[in-house]
Amino acid sequence: MLSENIKKLRKSKGLSQQELAVELNVVRQTLSKWENGLSVPDADMLVSLSNTFDVPVSSLLGETISEKEANTIQSLANKLEIINLQLAQRKESRQKILHISFILGSVLIIIGFLIMAALGSSYLTWTSNDMETAVLIVFLHGIEWLFIRVAPLLLIGALIGVYITRKKILDIIKKDLGN
């Protein structure tokens, strides 16, 4: 909601991201992150945004709350904490999906090698004396040739990805167990 409101209010004022960033004394990439929901402005920056857009902070946050509550820094801090928790949860779930994807990719590549080994497939010794099956053999030969050349690199990359994301997943689990 906050990201959409910042973008909508910026466009309604006819400002580009660069112009608003200069006015707020931040870099354009920071403003882009706010508008895409990848980060949120701190409480002081929310006040600056509300002054720039001539709207109360509560409107930026997308809630209708009493005027007294809208002016308190504590209420802003509470809302920002909720937004930050939501962003952290989204990042953690993406990290878990990425980790599982790397594991699944590694397993599929290993299964491909096992299937080729079980079938006794040796693509360099294939011959095609029969013209009717020559096209099929060339097609299968191309797939196997590509797999043999590319799969080891993909497997190494996937295993590195599993290792890197494993460390991050363990940090997430430790944090969850500590809370």
Side-chain angles (χ1 to χ4, degrees):
M1 179 72 67
L2 174 63
S3 58
E4 295 167 1
N5 289 342
I6 292 173
K7 188 174 191 176
K8 183 172 40 171
L9 288 168
R10 176 184 59 79
K11 287 184 176 185
S12 72
K13 289 282 190 179
L15 297 171
S16 68
Q17 282 186 342
Q18 184 63 40
E19 292 168 335
L20 181 57
V22 168
E23 192 170 325
L24 295 171
N25 200 23
V26 296
V27 294
R28 185 200 58 78
Q29 289 82 357
T30 300
L31 192 62
S32 176
K33 285 182 180 181
W34 294 343
E35 288 185 359
N36 290 319
L38 299 175
S39 68
V40 293
D42 61 18
D44 292 335
M45 192 53 66
L46 276 175
V47 172
S48 297
L49 281 166
S50 73
N51 291 337
T52 301
F53 295 136
D54 295 324
V55 296
V57 173
S58 61
S59 296
L60 280 174
L61 295 173
E63 295 182 18
T64 306
I65 53 177
S66 69
E67 191 66 33
K68 182 178 179 183
E69 185 182 355
N71 291 330
T72 66
I73 297 294
Q74 183 60 37
S75 67
L76 290 176
N78 291 341
K79 290 175 186 131
L80 284 174
E81 182 180 359
I82 291 169
I83 292 171
N84 280 329
L85 285 173
Q86 291 171 343
L87 287 173
Q89 288 171 344
R90 188 180 335 166
K91 182 179 178 182
E92 289 174 3
S93 66
R94 286 181 185 161
Q95 192 70 37
K96 290 175 184 175
I97 289 170
L98 185 62
H99 183 70
I100 291 169
S101 299
F102 280 131
I103 291 172
L104 185 61
S106 299
V107 168
L108 290 175
I109 291 170
I110 291 169
I111 289 172
F113 278 120
L114 292 174
I115 289 172
M116 289 174 61
L119 295 175
S121 182
S122 148
Y123 76 92
L124 292 176
T125 61
W126 284 0
T127 58
S128 57
N129 296 333
D130 182 15
M131 289 305 219
E132 293 175 2
T133 59
V135 173
L136 178 62
I137 289 174
V138 168
F139 177 72
L140 292 174
H141 175 74
I143 291 174
E144 193 169 3
W145 181 88
L146 185 63
F147 184 79
I148 293 294
R149 300 292 189 285
V150 175
L153 299 174
L154 292 176
L155 181 61
I156 290 168
L159 291 175
I160 290 170
V162 167
Y163 177 75
I164 291 171
T165 56
R166 180 189 133 274
K167 291 169 71 175
K168 292 179 181 176
I169 295 294
L170 289 176
D171 290 342
I172 291 170
I173 292 170
K174 286 178 185 175
K175 185 185 82 175
D176 287 345
L177 292 176
N179 289 338

